[in-house]
């Protein structure tokens, strides 16, 4: 039975990936271990999901490096769906994987969550970028600075793959939208909402007006949560195919963008402004966040004004078929506003 270790099970992405694994036709052949920070949710996982599936929840977090190493050393496949920027945690996972490889000489699989924030610039919403990255153009990706968001972890994984003891597949979602669904959400185990659009919605509600950084001229890709979860599972399923597609790569070439359309920040701000205006809050035209508002609502800084443009060509070439597009993302704004108001 293949042993799977997954982090981020209660999160938006990790929970969606875990739901796909629990629905998988071969699920009865899996042994799944998930790392969960809350003792209450550990108990709930083991009482509900664990009884129906071959799953155990273990109490711990990315701060528990010895535990990360131990659980990774037990796994054939690791899904890392928690903090994309925690280098110490990534190294602990790799150390565990190295121990597994030393035992049997078979390189385990690491499917790691990064993000297209690695492509971001400093445009502050003032201009679009003409640079569009392809996940098939490895030489272009290798021009990215090691100082870019997520990049130090990504490079560490690629280096580990080059040593032969692990096969790394790095998935880089763009702006994810939509509500996660399924038994984990229904049982209160998984966060059902994304970050970027709900954050803009909450700021719009707080200031009584939809807005954007600068002029909102910057571009980002977007992808629905169900579609990006399908990308993880497409990579997973291809691991056992005798003749996978030529572009199913790991290591240096193993980058997979999650994208199925792109949008300007102005378009998102306008969609929020229109919904709020229909409720009697502000103008239907989005208004730029002031410097004071940026400091107030985004105290740790924000990449919302950056450009992050990409094309998910590798995913498409390996058979990933996302169905939701930018118009679906913009249409989802109303439900996000309603969800924020109901909290």
């Amino acid at each position: 039975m293949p042993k799977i270790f997954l982090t981020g099970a209660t999160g938006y992405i990790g929970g969606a990936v875990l739901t796909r694994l629990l629905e998988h036709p071969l699920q009865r052949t899996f042994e799944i271990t998930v790392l969960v920070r809350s003792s209450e949710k550990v108990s709930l996982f083991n009482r509900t999901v664990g009884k129906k599936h071959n799953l155990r929840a273990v109490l711990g977090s990315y701060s528990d490096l010895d535990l990360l190493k131990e659980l990774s050393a037990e796994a054939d496949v690791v899904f890392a769906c928690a903090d994309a920027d925690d280098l110490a945690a990534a190294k602990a996972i790799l150390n565990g994987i190295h121990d597994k490889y030393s035992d049997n000489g078979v390189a385990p699989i690491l499917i790691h969550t990064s993000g297209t924030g690695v492509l971001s610039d400093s445009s502050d919403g003032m201009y679009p970028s003409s640079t569009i990255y392809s996940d098939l153009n490895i030489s272009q990706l290798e021009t990215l600075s090691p100082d870019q968001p997520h990049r130090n972890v990504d490079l560490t994984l690629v280096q580990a793959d080059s040593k032969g003891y692990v096969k790394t597949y790095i998935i880089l979602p763009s702006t994810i939208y939509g509500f996660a669904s399924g038994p984990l959400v229904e049982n209160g185990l998984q966060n059902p909402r994304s970050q970027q659009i709900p954050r803009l919605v909450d700021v719009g509600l707080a200031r009584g007006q939809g807005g954007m950084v600068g002029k909102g001229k910057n571009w980002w890709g977007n992808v629905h949560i169900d579609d990006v979860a399908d990308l993880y599972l497409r990579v997973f399923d291809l691991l056992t195919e005798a003749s996978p597609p030529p572009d199913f790569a790991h290591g240096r070439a193993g980058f997979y963008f999650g994208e199925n359309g792109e949008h300007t920040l102005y378009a998102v701000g306008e969609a929020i402004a229109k919904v709020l205006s229909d409720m009697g809050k502000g103008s239907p035209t989005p208004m730029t966040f002031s410097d004071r508002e940026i400091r107030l609502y985004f105290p740790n800084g924000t990449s919302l004004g950056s450009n992050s443009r990409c094309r998910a060509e590798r995913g498409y070439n390996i058979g990933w078929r996302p169905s939701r597009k930018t118009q679906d993302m913009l249409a989802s704004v109303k439900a996000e506003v309603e969800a924020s108001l109901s909290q």
Side-chain angles (χ1 to χ4, degrees):
M1 300 179 77
K3 295 183 178 181
I4 298 170
F5 172 45
L6 183 143
T7 69
T10 63
Y12 183 56
I13 298 175
V17 174
L18 178 57
T19 296
R20 291 296 191 279
L21 290 171
L22 298 177
E23 295 170 345
H24 197 281
L26 300 178
Q27 185 276 323
R28 291 184 179 276
T29 71
F30 304 157
E31 291 184 13
I32 303 175
T33 299
V34 297
L35 187 68
V36 180
R37 290 178 294 179
S38 160
S39 58
E40 180 182 354
K41 288 191 174 181
V42 166
S43 177
L44 187 56
F45 256 113
N46 289 329
R47 287 199 319 268
T48 57
V49 181
K51 283 188 174 182
K52 297 179 181 179
H53 306 276
N54 195 7
L55 178 146
R56 66 168 175 148
V58 176
L59 180 64
S61 72
Y62 265 20
S63 298
D64 300 311
L65 301 182
D66 289 341
L67 180 60
L68 273 177
K69 178 181 177 181
E70 176 187 338
L71 295 177
S72 299
E74 297 173 356
D76 303 301
V77 180
V78 177
F79 286 89
C81 301
D83 189 345
D85 296 312
D86 195 324
L87 182 59
K91 288 182 176 179
I93 290 171
L94 288 172
N95 287 338
I97 286 173
H98 189 276
D99 286 350
K100 175 80 170 183
Y101 174 76
S102 297
D103 285 343
N104 62 16
V106 178
I109 304 299
L110 174 55
I111 303 174
H112 173 79
T113 305
S114 181
T116 63
V118 71
L119 312 177
S120 60
D121 62 16
S122 56
S123 57
D124 292 328
M126 299 306 292
Y127 56 86
S129 171
S130 60
T131 301
I132 301 177
Y133 291 84
S134 165
D135 48 13
L136 291 177
N137 191 340
I138 302 306
S139 60
Q140 182 193 33
L141 292 176
E142 290 179 343
T143 66
L144 292 169
S145 167
D147 296 327
Q148 285 290 98
H150 319 318
R151 188 65 174 159
N152 61 334
V153 175
D154 293 354
L155 291 175
T156 298
L157 302 187
V158 170
Q159 183 181 28
D161 183 287
S162 70
K163 295 179 180 178
Y165 68 85
V166 61
K167 293 181 179 179
T168 62
Y169 300 82
I170 300 175
I171 296 181
L172 303 92
S174 51
T175 298
I176 313 178
Y177 65 93
F179 292 86
S181 60
L184 301 185
V185 174
E186 293 163 6
N187 286 305
L189 288 166
Q190 179 191 356
N191 166 35
R193 298 182 73 191
S194 186
Q195 296 181 15
Q196 293 99 323
I197 292 177
R199 182 61 181 151
L200 286 168
V201 165
D202 291 344
V203 171
L205 287 168
R207 72 198 291 254
Q209 172 65 57
M212 68 258 176
V213 177
K215 296 181 179 180
K217 292 185 175 182
N218 55 300
W219 289 85
W220 267 74
N222 54 73
V223 65
H224 192 276
I225 181 61
D226 290 339
D227 286 332
V228 80
D230 288 344
L231 176 57
Y232 283 82
L233 266 292
R234 181 59 183 158
V235 169
F236 176 75
D237 286 340
L238 285 175
L239 296 172
T240 57
E241 284 204 6
S243 300
D247 287 323
F248 182 57
H250 60 87
R252 176 176 176 261
F255 288 83
Y256 298 80
F257 288 140
E259 166 274 333
N260 194 39
E262 60 178 357
H263 60 274
T264 63
L265 186 62
Y266 184 93
V268 176
E270 183 179 46
I272 295 170
K274 286 180 177 178
V275 173
L276 295 183
S277 179
D278 289 343
M279 298 166 48
K281 298 178 182 291
S283 163
T285 301
M287 296 183 182
T288 299
F289 301 136
S290 67
D291 291 341
R292 182 190 69 81
E293 288 175 324
I294 292 288
R295 292 192 298 271
L296 175 64
Y297 297 122
F298 308 99
N300 298 318
T302 179
S303 62
L304 289 170
S306 65
N307 287 286
S308 175
R309 306 187 70 182
C310 64
R311 296 290 182 268
E313 295 175 304
R314 188 175 298 277
Y316 191 85
N317 284 0
I318 66 168
W320 178 52
R321 294 296 181 265
S323 60
R324 286 82 161 185
K325 299 182 179 295
T326 299
Q327 58 265 32
D328 299 298
M329 184 270 291
L330 295 174
S332 74
V333 165
K334 183 176 181 180
E336 293 288 2
V337 173
E338 292 169 349
S340 287
L341 286 171
S342 68
Q343 289 181 342

